[in-house]
Amino acid sequence: MHKTLLRLALLTGLLTCLTALDAGAAFAGSAGAALGLPVTKVLEPVTTVLAGRVSLPASLSSLPGTAKLLGAAAPASRARALISLRHRNEAQLENFIATVSDPSSASYGRYLTPAQFAGRYAPSASTVQAVEAFARDSGLQVQAVPSNRAYVYVTGSVAQMQHAFATTIKTYLLGGQKVQAPTKAPSVPRSIATSVTAVEGLDTADAARPQTALQTPPAPAYVNAPPFSSYWGQSLATQAPGAYGQTQLPNVV
């Protein structure tokens, strides 16, 4: 009897301690928020916060199952990347795209010139400078920035790319060709993470898909075309080869 009571007392004490810890954590979080102190938040699924960096999972492409891993890419091999930048005033930009394309809107068809678009929505010059500074500090060479400042094009060695984006690049055999691709999602320093949407180009496995097997055989005999349609899409070509397995022309609804 005495041992049973002792066990119950220990369990009750343990539960009391755990409840106090939970309450303390909740209080610390609410108090920290009220005082303007850093509070841990649930991260968005599109990014992962590392030690001082933010990863970009969407920048990690998947290779076809036929790709054969050969090993680590040679550190001195050349590599290139596009550091894509976030537009300014994204909410206003989305609204502009919707209204300029809506026939019922007063803004329908009132497009912007490249200069107007850059002035309203392009990443700022200071953003570009910050990303360029990061690239150069990482040993990369800044090759180009387009007039709309949509990205920063950089080149360097595999070793420099791996260091800059905290990733690992491997070599694969795909379709008889050697290609390079990262095996870990690239990441960027937190200081520029809000300005960067993706790091593209580390994967060199872009390959055209042959459509030989998708070609429709010719008709058994030559047939003159019927009279011209009275409206677009009235008479659809039934023997046009489909792209990527499709059986209809994708631009006809």
Side-chain angles (χ1 to χ4, degrees):
M1 180 69 176
H2 176 72
K3 291 182 179 179
T4 302
L5 292 175
L6 180 59
R7 290 194 186 100
L8 289 174
L10 290 173
L11 290 173
T12 302
L14 178 60
L15 290 173
T16 302
C17 291
L18 292 175
T19 303
L21 288 173
D22 288 340
F27 174 78
S30 59
L35 295 174
L37 299 176
V39 178
T40 301
K41 297 181 180 179
V42 177
L43 302 177
E44 296 181 1
V46 294
T47 57
T48 303
V49 175
L50 307 173
R53 302 179 70 91
V54 176
S55 70
L56 305 167
S59 299
L60 184 63
S61 59
S62 57
L63 293 175
T66 55
K68 179 182 178 181
L69 175 62
L70 299 179
S77 296
R78 301 304 298 170
R80 78 282 189 276
L82 295 180
I83 307 175
S84 300
L85 305 181
R86 189 180 304 279
H87 287 96
R88 288 181 296 124
N89 307 318
E90 285 188 323
Q92 294 90 326
L93 175 58
E94 292 177 1
N95 181 69
F96 167 74
I97 293 173
T99 55
V100 79
S101 307
D102 184 359
S104 64
S105 170
S107 300
Y108 178 64
R110 296 184 177 181
Y111 304 107
L112 300 177
T113 65
Q116 289 173 328
F117 181 89
R120 298 182 190 182
Y121 305 117
S124 66
S126 60
T127 293
V128 172
Q129 291 170 2
V131 174
E132 287 179 328
F134 151 72
R136 292 191 176 100
D137 290 344
S138 302
L140 302 177
Q141 295 80 49
V142 176
Q143 299 294 348
V145 176
S147 59
N148 62 2
R149 302 190 289 274
Y151 59 82
V152 177
Y153 173 47
V154 296
T155 59
S157 67
V158 164
Q160 290 168 331
M161 291 292 181
Q162 291 181 142
H163 170 71
F165 302 113
T167 187
T168 303
I169 300 177
K170 301 285 188 180
T171 302
Y172 298 84
L173 185 64
L174 179 63
Q177 300 291 329
K178 286 186 178 181
V179 299
Q180 296 178 172
T183 59
K184 177 183 176 183
S187 66
V188 294
R190 195 183 304 225
S191 58
I192 61 172
T194 57
S195 302
V196 177
T197 60
V199 175
E200 304 169 346
L202 295 176
D203 181 354
T204 63
D206 297 334
R209 297 179 55 182
Q211 298 190 37
T212 306
L214 303 177
Q215 298 293 337
T216 304
Y222 177 78
V223 179
N224 288 325
F228 193 76
S229 303
S230 5
Y231 56 87
W232 169 252
Q234 180 183 17
S235 299
L236 301 181
T238 58
Q239 292 186 336
Y244 304 108
Q246 297 181 28
T247 57
Q248 298 184 39
L249 292 177
N251 61 336
V252 177
V253 180

